[in-house]
Amino acid sequence: IERLKIYSDGSLGAETAAMRVMKPLEDQGNQKGVLIHSRSKLLTMIRNASAWNYRLEIHAIGDAAAEQVLDALLEHVQTSVPCDRRMEVWRPVLTHCQILGEDLL
């Protein structure tokens, strides 16, 4: 096993993609999707994957999920041991992005 996939939200079809802004659906109230993990849990999973040398792929369809993932990845990189040479080649992948605000590009 060389890669690890983490799901951070659901899907557009099931209306569970985590969105920062979503037009409320009549039967769903103010549903903005689902963030599967807390920020601290996601950060722990990212740190573990990095420590175990897994190639990391994180599913994030909605912009709220992508923002949470990007923030956690940035925190991990900023707080990693500076002499950890793996950080120079570590390239996590954000997959299935479908809704992103310009600030996340």
Side-chain angles (χ1 to χ4, degrees):
I1 299 174
E2 64 184 47
R3 68 181 68 190
L4 178 70
K5 185 168 186 178
I6 298 172
Y7 286 84
S8 66
D9 69 349
S11 69
L12 289 173
E15 299 174 358
T16 54
M19 308 293 290
R20 295 189 289 196
V21 177
M22 179 180 257
K23 181 179 175 184
L25 301 171
E26 204 169 288
D27 62 342
Q28 298 278 326
N30 282 329
Q31 172 66 284
K32 290 189 175 183
V34 177
L35 286 171
I36 295 176
H37 307 287
S38 68
R39 179 180 166 80
S40 62
K41 175 68 175 173
L42 182 61
L43 183 57
T44 297
M45 294 167 72
I46 289 169
R47 287 182 172 151
N48 287 341
S50 176
W52 299 331
N53 293 317
Y54 283 116
R55 177 176 177 206
L56 184 59
E57 296 184 22
I58 305 177
H59 162 109
I61 290 181
D63 55 358
E67 181 175 42
Q68 181 192 48
V69 169
L70 292 171
D71 287 347
L73 288 170
L74 181 61
E75 182 176 343
H76 171 61
V77 169
Q78 290 175 335
T79 59
S80 293
V81 178
C83 65
D84 189 348
R85 304 211 33 97
R86 287 176 296 152
M87 284 292 120
E88 294 175 10
V89 296
W90 189 63
R91 296 183 186 200
V93 176
L94 196 58
T95 63
H96 309 295
C97 298
Q98 293 183 18
I99 309 292
L100 292 176
E102 287 186 26
D103 60 310
L104 299 175
L105 299 178

